[in-house]
Amino acid sequence: MAIEIRKTLLQVETTLVEGGKAAQTPLKLYAAIAVVKNPWAGQGFVEDLKPEIHAAAPVLGELLTRMIVEAVGSGEKVEAYGKAAIVGLDGEIEHASALIHTLRFGNNYRTAVGAKSYLAFCNTRGPANAPLMIPLMDKNDEGRRSHYLTIQTSVADAPAANEIVVALGASVGGRPHHRIGDRYQDLKDLGNDANNPAAV
């Protein structure tokens, strides 16, 4: 069954001033969003989600990746990235998770931007205009705190009860005036190993 896409949205946010101080380099945040019919809506509890995942996730991954790359100008320019989904009130959290937590969705984006890091994520359930939170992290360096960012937005008329909002996010740049260092300095100060940061 082909995924039914009701609408797409592209948001671009540019931060010029932070903390009352002009940013040396403006931060640009991009969100590519698709509002789709929940492919499991009205079916009751569905044990095997794979057929719909395999049909829908590659289509959404390719579409949203293309929207991001075209808006940014190239995959190379993307510095941080992430993904999110909100399922409408008649759906399960598992339905939101199903469309974004599969390599059939995420690998489109990873390949296009040349990323090594895992895609930061958020999956929730809510009504129309529910907060859409897209967490971001550096596409190649999970410890680069300057690029721990969150895109916060919403879609006024989505998700409907039988819909899912699916999104990819990107940044060009990190937080203006970032000054909390990175996790590697913490590890050095604490004498802990990067593979076991809590020393447990």
Side-chain angles (χ1 to χ4, degrees):
M1 176 175 63
I3 191 71
E4 184 179 322
I5 301 172
R6 178 163 69 85
K7 66 189 324 185
T8 62
L9 302 87
L10 179 68
Q11 175 178 298
V12 182
E13 176 183 343
T14 305
T15 300
L16 303 171
V17 177
E18 180 72 19
K21 180 180 177 182
Q24 184 174 4
T25 302
L27 167 64
K28 296 187 79 71
L29 298 174
Y30 299 81
I33 304 165
V35 178
V36 305
K37 183 177 179 182
N38 184 338
W40 302 283
Q43 297 183 41
F45 186 86
V46 177
E47 185 66 40
D48 184 6
L49 306 180
K50 281 187 179 179
E52 291 81 5
I53 292 171
H54 291 185
V59 174
L60 292 170
E62 192 278 331
L63 169 67
L64 296 175
T65 296
R66 185 173 68 249
M67 290 172 63
I68 289 282
V69 171
E70 288 178 357
V72 174
S74 75
E76 287 183 359
K77 291 181 181 178
V78 171
E79 296 181 26
Y81 72 159
K83 60 187 177 181
I86 308 172
V87 67
L89 295 178
D90 286 350
E92 301 175 43
I93 292 290
E94 194 73 356
H95 298 163
S97 301
L99 294 183
I100 65 171
H101 293 305
T102 168
L103 297 179
R104 290 169 172 82
F105 177 78
N107 275 358
N108 286 280
Y109 200 16
R110 289 184 189 90
T111 300
V113 303
K116 298 176 183 175
S117 300
Y118 70 86
L119 270 160
F121 64 89
C122 180
N123 33 256
T124 56
R125 177 170 45 230
N129 209 35
L132 176 63
M133 311 290 280
I134 312 173
L136 308 179
M137 61 192 277
D138 186 284
K139 68 181 183 181
N140 289 318
D141 185 349
E142 297 167 7
R144 190 180 181 195
R145 290 187 182 140
S146 59
H147 286 59
Y148 292 172
L149 296 154
T150 304
I151 297 170
Q152 181 175 345
T153 188
S154 63
V155 182
D157 67 346
N162 67 342
E163 290 182 329
I164 304 175
V165 173
V166 180
L168 290 178
S171 84
V172 175
R175 294 190 310 280
H177 324 309
H178 58 88
R179 52 199 187 276
I180 62 169
D182 60 37
R183 74 192 307 263
Y184 308 112
Q185 187 60 50
D186 281 359
L187 290 167
K188 182 178 178 182
D189 294 345
L190 293 168
N192 292 354
D193 187 283
N195 294 320
N196 186 17
V200 294

